[in-house]
Every structure is written in structure tokens, then in C-alpha cells.
């Protein structure tokens, strides 16, 4: 029986090749076995990061988000968490968001001389009471 011994640098090159070939799970498994050798711990995060990016590009926001959350302190993962969360919300509530965005909604403000206006944008909602005093409108 022949025993083969590989140097850590050869193992890292193999893992880097797998990562370059988008085989994130196999690359991560190899980097994980190396523990704290050189930058293996960061490479484990890089495998997760690239896998999450690929899922995000395929519009699989839920699975991408789950991975980004495990590496929230890596690179710009926190920004990607925010973006994935927005995409998920839009996927679920997009029709409501589209109805509200850049629209004004009016409803009775509690009397015959008062109307309440809601203005929506993507980031904010503004509530304004409009009163009519007989001489005209007052915001």
C-alpha cells in the first residue's frame, strides 16, 4: 500500500481551483480541514460569500440571505443582507409597494373640514392634515 502525502500548499491550490470552478461546497470542505493554516478561515468565508452571490444572481434570495447572515462581518455581506431582504419583501409585497409608491391617498380627517393625506415613496410615508377654513386649503 502506498501512502500519499500532500503539502498544505498543494491542498490549498486544489481548494482554490475548486473555488474558481464554482464548486463552493467542495472548496469550503477542504479549506475547513486546514483550520487556521495561512488564510484558510477567510477562504471558508469566501466560499460562502461566492455561493451566496451565485444564489442571489439566480434570484434565490432566501437561500442567499441565509448564507450572508452567517458571514455578516465579511466584506460587504451586511449590505447584501439588506438588499436580499428588500428583494424578498418586494417579491412578497411588490404589488402593494407599487400601489403605494409615489402615490397620494386621502381619507376623512375626522370632520367635514379636514382631510388627511398620505404620501408614499420607496423610503418614507408622510402624513399631512389638510383643513378647509372657508377661505381655502391649509396644510
Amino acid at each position: 500500500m502506498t501512502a500519499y502525502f500532500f503539502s498544505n500548499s498543494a491542498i490549498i491550490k486544489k481548494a482554490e481551483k475548486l473555488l474558481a470552478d464554482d464548486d463552493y461546497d467542495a472548496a469550503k470542505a477542504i479549506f475547513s480541514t486546514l483550520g487556521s493554516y495561512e488564510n484558510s478561515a477567510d477562504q471558508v468565508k469566501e466560499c460562502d460569500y461566492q455561493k451566496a452571490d451565485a444564489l442571489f444572481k439566480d434570484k434565490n434570495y432566501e437561500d442567499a440571505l441565509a448564507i450572508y447572515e452567517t458571514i455578516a462581518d465579511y466584506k460587504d455581506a451586511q449590505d447584501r443582507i439588506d438588499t436580499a431582504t428588500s428583494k424578498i419583501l418586494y417579491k412578497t409585497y411588490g404589488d402593494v409597494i407599487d400601489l403605494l409608491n409615489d402615490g397620494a391617498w386621502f381619507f376623512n380627517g375626522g370632520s367635514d373640514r379636514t382631510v388627511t393625506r398620505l404620501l408614499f415613496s420607496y423610503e418614507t410615508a408622510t402624513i399631512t392634515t389638510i383643513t378647509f377654513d372657508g377661505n381655502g386649503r391649509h396644510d
Side-chain angles (χ1 to χ4, degrees):
M1 180 155 105
T2 305
Y4 294 98
F5 296 97
F6 297 99
S7 69
N8 283 342
S9 61
I11 294 170
I12 286 177
K13 286 183 184 197
K14 171 67 174 167
E16 288 172 343
K17 172 81 168 95
L18 289 167
L19 183 58
D21 292 340
D22 301 335
D23 194 347
Y24 312 112
D25 294 331
K28 180 180 177 179
I30 292 172
F31 283 123
S32 295
T33 64
L34 296 172
S36 60
Y37 181 76
E38 289 191 14
N39 66 345
S40 294
D42 285 337
Q43 289 295 78
V44 168
K45 289 182 180 181
E46 183 64 23
C47 291
D48 285 339
Y49 184 84
Q50 288 190 27
K51 182 176 181 178
D53 276 355
L55 291 166
F56 188 92
K57 287 175 187 166
D58 287 341
K59 298 184 180 182
N60 186 342
Y61 305 121
E62 292 84 359
D63 289 344
L65 177 62
I67 295 171
Y68 285 134
E69 287 175 334
T70 67
I71 54 167
D73 61 337
Y74 186 72
K75 290 187 175 182
D76 64 346
Q78 188 58 54
D79 291 338
R80 293 175 186 248
I81 288 169
D82 296 341
T83 303
T85 301
S86 294
K87 296 281 189 183
I88 291 167
L89 287 173
Y90 192 81
K91 195 160 108 176
T92 306
Y93 303 107
D95 54 343
V96 174
I97 292 168
D98 289 342
L99 283 172
L100 295 176
N101 276 344
D102 298 322
W105 295 66
F106 296 91
F107 61 94
N108 186 312
S111 75
D112 292 341
R113 294 177 174 232
T114 305
V115 173
T116 301
R117 176 181 64 198
L118 299 174
L119 290 175
F120 295 95
S121 70
Y122 188 72
E123 291 97 17
T124 63
T126 306
I127 301 172
T128 306
T129 301
I130 303 170
T131 58
F132 297 90
D133 66 0
N135 293 321
R137 182 180 100 184
H138 300 279
D139 291 342

